[in-house]
């Protein structure tokens, strides 16, 4: 079976991922990581699929969608149950002629099952939003979580008033991953395992700092490992 991978940036320890339908941060290196991970394949003749909810799809600026070099699958209960490519109505076992087009479908679990049957899809990435993430923890074989924290700000004056002024305040959050499910079902893996799974596409798992945030790329796998075919 193909890997089913949730990939998300979250503010730990509460695992907040959004506010008012948008990202609370803009992290250039994290966006580069997301693009590279979701587009890279071992087999150059294959593509990866990205699955998202309708609101996540609509939050992407029109000029950037569909996400290029990936098969885009958008899920909504409002869509019909017809599974085919919007711009190409060919076989459901191939995406090679439509890697940048979109499938709209109304069933998340069945969409994953259909993608598993497509010969030239290598990996299936879940990219949001929270409802879609939380509904796939029992299906995901891996979680790629960019763990974000507030960066430390030095207090130049050393007094309590200055400390309060200089201290970074976390951004407001109204959208969260199911932290209990993550902690109960998954375990964080070491750097070597992360590097192998991400196909050595990123140079380092070191902590990065941008603006008010510091973050690290991490890999989680189920405590009860799901078997995958090579």
């Amino acid at each position: 079976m193909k890997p089913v991978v949730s990939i998300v940036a979250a503010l730990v320890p509460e695992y907040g991922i959004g506010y008012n339908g948008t990202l609370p941060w803009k992290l250039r290196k994290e966006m580069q990581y997301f693009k590279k991970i979701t587009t890279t394949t071992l087999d150059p003749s294959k593509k990866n699929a990205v699955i998202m909810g309708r609101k996540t799809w609509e939050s992407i600026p029109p000029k950037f969608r569909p996400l290029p070099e990936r098969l885009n699958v958008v899920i909504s209960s409002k869509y019909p149950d017809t599974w085919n490519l919007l711009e190409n109505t060919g076989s459901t076992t191939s995406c090679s002629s439509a890697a940048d087009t979109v499938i709209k479908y109304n069933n998340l679990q069945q969409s994953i099952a259909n993608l598993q049957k497509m010969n030239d899809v290598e990996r299936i990435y879940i990219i949001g939003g929270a409802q879609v993430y939380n509904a796939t923890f029992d299906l995901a074989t891996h979680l790629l979580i960019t763990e974000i924290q507030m960066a430390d700000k030095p207090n130049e004056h050393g007094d309590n008033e200055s400390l309060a002024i200089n201290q970074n305040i976390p951004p407001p959050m109204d959208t969260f991953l199911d932290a209990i499910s993550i902690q109960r079902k998954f375990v964080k893996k070491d750097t070597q395992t992360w590097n192998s799974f991400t196909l050595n596409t990123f140079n380092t798992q070191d902590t990065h700092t941008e603006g008010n945030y510091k973050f690290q790329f991490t890999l989680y796998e189920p405590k009860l490992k799901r078997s995958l075919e090579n």
Side-chain angles (χ1 to χ4, degrees), residues 42-135:
L42 276 173
D43 185 340
S45 69
K46 295 185 178 183
K47 299 289 183 181
N48 295 320
V50 288
I51 298 180
M52 71 199 86
R54 178 182 55 83
K55 291 182 180 179
T56 297
W57 169 256
E58 293 175 350
S59 72
I60 302 172
K63 66 179 180 179
F64 295 126
R65 67 188 193 215
L67 298 179
E69 302 177 61
R70 288 150 285 187
L71 177 61
N72 290 231
V73 179
V74 186
I75 304 297
S76 172
S77 60
K78 297 180 180 180
Y79 295 151
D81 61 358
T82 303
W83 175 272
N84 57 27
L85 303 176
L86 295 186
E87 297 179 15
N88 295 269
T89 57
S91 169
T92 60
T93 62
S94 174
C95 71
S96 58
S97 62
D100 296 344
T101 58
V102 185
I103 295 173
K104 292 185 176 181
Y105 198 59
N106 67 4
N107 188 295
L108 175 60
Q109 285 74 21
Q110 187 60 45
S111 72
I112 293 175
N114 290 346
L115 289 169
Q116 292 282 3
K117 299 174 185 177
M118 297 178 74
N119 297 329
D120 51 359
V121 168
E122 186 167 291
R123 288 183 177 181
I124 302 165
Y125 285 96
I126 311 299
I127 66 169
Q131 184 176 355
V132 176
Y133 285 129
N134 292 332

Side-chain angles (χ1 to χ4, degrees), residues 177-212:
L177 299 179
D178 184 348
I180 294 176
S181 290
I182 293 174
Q183 294 163 4
R184 185 176 72 246
K185 298 178 180 180
F186 294 87
V187 60
K188 187 187 296 189
K189 307 302 288 188
D190 58 24
T191 297
Q192 183 177 357
T193 306
W194 168 83
N195 198 45
S196 175
F197 182 74
T198 56
L199 308 179
N200 301 304
T201 56
F202 234 66
N203 294 329
T204 178
Q205 199 188 20
D206 294 341
T207 300
H208 307 276
T209 301
E210 288 187 37
N212 292 330

Side-chain angles (χ1 to χ4, degrees), residues 157-169:
H157 303 283
D159 56 85
N160 291 335
E161 182 178 357
S162 298
L163 179 61
I165 293 173
N166 286 309
Q167 189 175 29
N168 274 351
I169 305 300

Side-chain angles (χ1 to χ4, degrees), residues 16-62:
I17 63 172
Y19 182 70
N20 281 343
T22 62
L23 292 176
W25 44 73
K26 188 174 182 179
L27 304 174
R28 180 181 55 84
K29 189 175 290 289
E30 203 281 326
M31 293 302 295
Q32 291 173 347
Y33 172 80
F34 171 87
K35 180 179 180 180
K36 197 165 188 179
I37 292 299
T38 57
T39 56
T40 298
T41 57
L42 276 173
D43 185 340
S45 69
K46 295 185 178 183
K47 299 289 183 181
N48 295 320
V50 288
I51 298 180
M52 71 199 86
R54 178 182 55 83
K55 291 182 180 179
T56 297
W57 169 256
E58 293 175 350
S59 72
I60 302 172

